[in-house]
Amino acid sequence: MRATVMYGAGDVRIENVPDARIIEPTDAVVTVTRACICGSDLWPYQKMEPTDTGRVMGHEAIGVVEAVGGEVRKIRRGDVVIMPFAFSDGTCVFCHDGLQTSCVHGGFFGTTEVAGAQAEAIRIPLADGTLFPVQVDKDDALMPSLLTLSDVMGTGHHAAVSAKVGPGKIVAVVGDGAVGLCGVIAARRLGAQQIIILGRHADRIALAREFGATDVVSGRGDEAVERVRALTGGLGAHSVLECVGLDAAMTTAISVARPGGAVGRVGVPQNEMMPASQPAFYSNISVSGGPAPVRAYIEELLPDVLNGTIQPGRVFDRVIGLDDVPDGYRAMNDREAIKVMVEP
Ligand SMILES: [Zn+2]
């Protein structure tokens, strides 16, 4: 089968790899009908050390179950399924707590250990706990929005939940990538009164406004902080969604939070140290977040996707086949595309 293999920074190839197959009796094999390129895939695209073996990329997909192992009970051949970006058993203490990204038997797709979804097919470990079947046709018009439940919409929602967004809250969203845009959707859905997006790309800002952003701040650094303060009566935001992962974004996030406020971070941190620790301390700002347990959020978000209340699939502004995936990485990295959908 064909798959996307990354060998180093800027080196993405479409290659023939061994077919996805059942290895453990709890596995399933899914034919990928739609996958996508994630903002977090751009970190290795920019920084990965060259390797000879490469890494099959991709952690977001929707597809059709092709085969199941002997111990799979809930998932059946022919099911249309959403694949969360992490696999999980669905039975351990953390899965029961709704934190499947910490599953004691779990892990992540698109790593050097577990092959990814930018491919014709994918092996799913722990299929019963991982996959979420949906009762729609594989070519339903809602597919782009359903695909975002694999990662970006659940991740934006996690940022909002971690930042304690609720009715009447003033929210700031740092980052105008697909996750930041989904964070705007989530904040509005949870009842925020004012939603300020910090971003600089005209196409993304326009979409943010349609998703519910009330204010746009396009400056950076101190200028952006001043502007958010001006928009919030000098006090700052109750809830800040950090959707980038760079130190500068985290510093901005903490700087625009009001005393007693909360920062929910979902951007993958690119440094070990957390910046702005002292300002966060002196203003009693809580900082939480991490890899979103999107498996837990599918249930909550799915009805709103099915009835059209939210349309997160609008973040996809380019659809390509597998052969064009290397150019899809380039387009996202150059900020030419917001988010690229792949139809293998
Ligand atoms: Zn578990």
Side-chain angles (χ1 to χ4, degrees):
M1 68 172 196
R2 293 182 314 139
T4 304
V5 189
M6 188 181 287
Y7 284 91
D11 185 359
V12 178
R13 308 178 205 169
I14 305 304
E15 294 193 330
N16 277 308
V17 301
D19 283 352
R21 62 186 180 91
I22 305 287
I23 297 175
E24 301 292 332
T26 47
D27 289 350
V29 170
V30 168
T31 297
V32 176
T33 53
R34 283 175 185 79
C36 43
I37 301 172
C38 185
S40 66
D41 293 335
L42 298 179
W43 296 126
Y45 186 73
Q46 291 164 11
K47 296 193 212 175
M48 183 175 166
E49 296 288 331
T51 63
D52 294 332
T53 47
R55 171 174 154 196
V56 177
M57 298 294 293
H59 53 257
E60 301 153 278
I62 267 186
V64 179
V65 176
E66 222 42 59
V68 295
E71 290 175 20
V72 174
R73 298 281 172 263
K74 298 176 189 161
I75 300 297
R76 294 202 174 87
R77 190 163 184 272
D79 282 354
V80 175
V81 288
I82 301 172
M83 178 198 103
F85 67 80
F87 57 88
S88 54
D89 59 13
T91 55
C92 78
V93 60
F94 297 116
C95 285
H96 277 299
D97 285 349
L99 193 60
Q100 286 87 341
T101 41
S102 292
C103 175
V104 297
H105 299 114
F108 298 92
F109 291 106
T111 58
T112 44
E113 293 80 33
V114 181
Q118 291 159 9
E120 290 179 314
I122 182 167
R123 168 187 166 245
I124 309 287
L126 304 170
D128 277 341
T130 303
L131 295 174
F132 195 105
V134 285
Q135 311 305 318
V136 292
D137 182 79
K138 71 177 173 55
D139 293 317
D140 194 283
L142 289 172
M143 275 302 157
S145 286
L146 292 168
L147 176 59
T148 67
L149 299 179
S150 231
D151 185 348
V152 282
M153 185 60 223
T155 295
H157 178 70
H158 188 55
V161 170
S162 300
K164 304 177 186 172
V165 175
K169 292 289 181 71
I170 298 172
V171 176
V173 178
V174 179
D176 61 4
V179 170
L181 294 170
C182 288
V184 171
I185 295 175
R188 183 188 198 177
R189 184 180 168 278
L190 293 169
Q193 171 204 317
Q194 184 182 9
I195 304 171
I196 304 162
I197 182 143
L198 286 76
R200 296 175 303 124
H201 303 89
D203 51 342
R204 301 168 182 218
I205 294 303
L207 195 50
R209 283 202 182 274
E210 290 183 42
F211 284 160
T214 54
D215 301 278
V216 175
V217 169
S218 293
R220 308 183 92 158
D222 291 345
E223 189 194 338
V225 173
E226 288 307 311
R227 187 81 191 104
V228 174
R229 294 213 166 270
L231 287 166
T232 55
L235 302 175
H238 298 103
S239 302
V240 185
L241 284 55
E242 197 283 293
C243 306
V244 180
L246 294 172
D247 281 0
M250 192 61 188
T251 301
T252 299
I254 287 173
S255 306
V256 301
R258 68 171 57 196
V263 174
R265 58 183 188 143
V266 292
V268 180
Q270 296 303 297
N271 262 325
E272 198 170 327
M273 304 295 283
M274 192 186 297
S277 162
Q278 286 177 335
F281 175 85
Y282 285 109
S283 293
N284 277 280
I285 291 163
S286 52
V287 178
S288 87
V294 297
R295 182 62 177 74
Y297 294 143
I298 293 175
E299 215 146 344
E300 178 177 351
L301 299 170
L302 184 62
D304 283 9
V305 168
L306 292 176
N307 69 24
T309 307
I310 60 173
Q311 299 179 314
R314 296 179 65 196
V315 299
F316 294 108
D317 56 349
R318 188 172 295 196
V319 182
I320 60 174
L322 206 48
D323 287 332
D324 292 325
V325 168
D327 191 58
Y329 273 83
R330 183 206 54 76
M332 275 181 64
N333 197 52
D334 292 348
R335 303 295 185 264
E336 210 177 84
I338 302 175
K339 192 166 175 73
V340 174
M341 184 156 73
V342 183
E343 296 184 342

